[in-house]
Amino acid sequence: MNSSGNITVEGLAAKQRVGHSLDRAFYVDQSIFERDLQKVFSKQWLFVDHVSRIPAPGNYVTYEVSGESIVVVRGTDGQIHAHYNVCRHRGSRICLSGEGKLRTLTCPYHGWVYDLAGNLVHAKQMGEDFDRSQWGLHSCPVRVSAGLIFIFLGAAEDAPDFDEIEGDLLPFLKLHGLAQAKVAHTEVYPTPGNWKLAVENFRECYHCSVAHPQYTAVNEHVKVNDVQPYSWGRTRIPEWEKSMLEKGHEGYVIGEVGPKHGPQPYWAHRAPLQEGWQTASQDGKPVAPLMGAFKDFDGAETYLELMPQFAMSGYSDHVTQFRFTPLDPTHTEVRITWLVDQNAREGVDYDVERLKWLWDVTTLQDAEIIGNNQLGVNSRRYGPGPYSTREKRVTSFVAWYLDRLVTG
């Protein structure tokens, strides 16, 4: 109990029943939401965007997360920098748009000027003893891996080991040639549910045959009667791997890594789609030119996630990337970016509507069912229910989350 006689977050976490959903407070309480931001999102590597968004010096994007606004900008030296969007003078926001191009980072309030690396280069009428070198922008660690930009909202020494994560995930990313890709389309899906409900939904397919007829038609694994924690199309994997090897596509057959249960769990694997499908499209036929190392359509998916905020589904001809951003206790921004080969031409080599079909319709459905889930959780009659044998990845996520909330 705390001094007011109320149960603490630690006490509430200790009360949670293994294999069951969380108590109502974890999905609706403002103080727990703020602790989520502090203990979880501020202590993880967070995906921002693809490098093709900021191709030239001065190009920038901003990312609003965990109560912060971060400016990610390409410097004059070609390097990517990440700065807190806070002027060191009196705290004004500097970049007021979500993306753009500029020569300097200039505060619109009093005109303090910073170079793209964050150094203060001009501040008028500050006196002779003012040392500009001490008043550069606050920056945060940034890493770029296979064209994907990640930031950490803390000191570099406190970050999870990115080298370890990258070492395991890079073979999956390189297969799709993400460093030589470009953004074909981006869409934001406002989701009326707590961020944990959104992530839990994404980590299980117990609901897929009920809620996602289109996804079920494309993905063989949905109807597999397999209760293994990480089953994903297991019935066809041996024959699919054999066919790939017979075609000389050894590089397509990559094993599974994860799940790692450390400060930032991650997981990746490859597995076949429904038999006869070349890619994840409405008719199973290609929607864009081949990417990366692919020389043929292998009819498979690369699935990858870096908990709790980033996931990716990649196919021979396109890649979808998911970013989960908590907004408040009952709202989450789900953003999807579709990538294609950098030389693909819109309207000639790909059509956006065909490209985005599967994950657009699926994510719209998810936004609805997550919203319904939140409405039910809001009820005084809600109580934690038991997870099924097809929801073991949700069970592992909840266990990890509770540990981070208390010890992170």
Side-chain angles (χ1 to χ4, degrees):
M1 306 284 283
N2 61 24
S3 59
S4 64
N6 297 320
I7 192 168
T8 63
V9 172
E10 290 82 1
L12 186 60
K15 286 178 54 182
Q16 299 310 294
R17 188 174 175 184
V18 176
H20 288 65
S21 57
L22 294 165
D23 279 343
R24 180 176 179 270
F26 289 99
Y27 301 116
V28 302
D29 186 81
Q30 179 66 34
S31 63
I32 291 180
F33 174 77
E34 291 172 359
R35 187 163 175 142
D36 287 353
L37 300 183
Q38 175 194 1
K39 293 286 190 174
V40 180
F41 282 83
S42 293
K43 297 193 174 183
Q44 312 295 313
W45 286 102
L46 303 175
F47 172 69
V48 176
D49 219 320
H50 187 264
V51 291
S52 63
R53 291 275 195 205
I54 49 174
N59 284 127
Y60 75 90
V61 294
T62 63
Y63 182 33
E64 313 282 329
V65 63
S66 198
E68 302 291 352
S69 175
I70 305 298
V71 180
V72 178
V73 61
R74 190 177 290 274
T76 55
D77 58 356
Q79 297 300 305
I80 293 175
H81 306 275
H83 309 299
Y84 286 85
N85 195 7
V86 180
C87 181
R88 294 294 306 282
H89 176 219
R90 286 171 55 187
S92 172
R93 286 280 176 94
I94 299 172
C95 294
L96 306 182
S97 300
E99 60 183 309
K101 186 172 184 179
L102 36 70
R103 290 172 49 197
T104 61
L105 297 162
T106 301
C107 177
Y109 194 5
H110 295 98
W112 280 31
V113 180
Y114 305 85
D115 66 19
L116 301 179
N119 303 300
L120 180 62
V121 295
H122 178 69
K124 63 184 179 181
Q125 300 170 340
M126 292 304 297
E128 293 183 1
D129 61 345
F130 179 71
D131 183 358
R132 290 198 309 268
S133 68
Q134 300 302 308
W135 294 96
L137 293 176
H138 291 299
S139 300
C140 59
V142 58
R143 293 289 298 265
V144 179
S145 181
L148 309 183
I149 305 169
F150 297 89
I151 60 171
F152 181 74
L153 299 178
E157 59 268 22
D158 297 328
D161 187 347
F162 194 89
D163 290 339
E164 178 190 5
I165 296 170
E166 183 179 53
D168 282 342
L169 298 184
L170 202 54
F172 295 87
L173 299 172
K174 282 186 172 181
L175 178 63
H176 293 270
L178 296 188
Q180 293 78 44
K182 69 176 181 180
V183 173
H185 184 67
T186 297
E187 196 137 339
V188 172
Y189 299 84
T191 302
N194 184 276
W195 71 271
K196 292 183 288 294
L197 293 180
V199 172
E200 289 170 18
N201 173 78
F202 202 79
R203 288 178 64 82
E204 54 92 356
C205 218
Y206 186 45
H207 72 283
C208 290
S209 60
V210 178
H212 300 314
Q214 296 87 354
Y215 183 88
T216 299
V218 173
N219 289 278
E220 183 260 356
H221 72 86
V222 174
K223 295 185 177 181
V224 174
N225 185 22
D226 187 339
V227 299
Q228 295 301 314
Y230 305 105
S231 66
W232 199 274
R234 296 299 188 201
T235 56
R236 287 188 56 236
I237 282 182
E239 64 181 75
W240 170 76
E241 288 187 333
K242 181 181 177 182
S243 69
M244 290 299 103
L245 292 171
E246 287 175 348
K247 293 179 180 180
H249 298 329
E250 293 86 353
Y252 294 16
V253 184
I254 301 178
E256 179 175 285
V257 299
K260 298 288 179 77
H261 292 287
Q264 186 156 22
Y266 55 90
W267 183 50
H269 76 166
R270 305 203 70 240
L273 299 169
Q274 196 72 261
E275 190 169 8
W277 255 250
Q278 292 178 288
T279 189
S281 64
Q282 192 166 7
D283 58 7
K285 293 182 170 51
V287 294
L290 290 167
M291 298 179 70
F294 291 101
K295 297 180 175 59
D296 194 4
F297 286 87
D298 70 341
E301 175 191 37
T302 298
Y303 178 76
L304 178 151
E305 63 185 30
L306 182 61
M307 285 203 343
Q309 181 253 8
F310 173 70
M312 182 190 104
S313 287
Y315 311 96
S316 303
D317 57 351
H318 69 286
V319 170
T320 53
Q321 297 179 330
F322 306 83
R323 192 180 77 181
F324 302 91
T325 304
L327 302 178
D328 63 38
T330 58
H331 293 84
T332 304
E333 178 193 89
V334 179
R335 193 189 79 153
I336 301 182
T337 301
W338 285 265
L339 301 177
V340 295
D341 183 79
Q342 62 186 1
N343 296 316
R345 299 161 295 170
E346 182 177 356
V348 178
D349 298 315
Y350 68 93
D351 174 79
V352 168
E353 293 303 313
R354 289 192 68 226
L355 180 74
K356 73 174 190 174
W357 169 77
L358 177 63
W359 282 109
D360 179 61
V361 67
T362 301
T363 307
L364 288 170
Q365 293 162 347
D366 277 336
E368 181 177 2
I369 61 179
I370 292 166
N372 291 335
N373 195 177
Q374 183 69 58
L375 290 174
V377 168
N378 291 345
S379 169
R380 291 185 294 275
R381 296 300 298 170
Y382 164 77
Y387 292 124
S388 78
T389 54
R390 293 294 300 272
E391 296 173 286
K392 291 189 177 182
R393 295 185 62 240
V394 180
T395 302
S396 67
F397 163 71
V398 168
W400 173 84
Y401 162 74
L402 291 172
D403 178 68
R404 291 291 94 196
L405 196 66
V406 173
T407 64

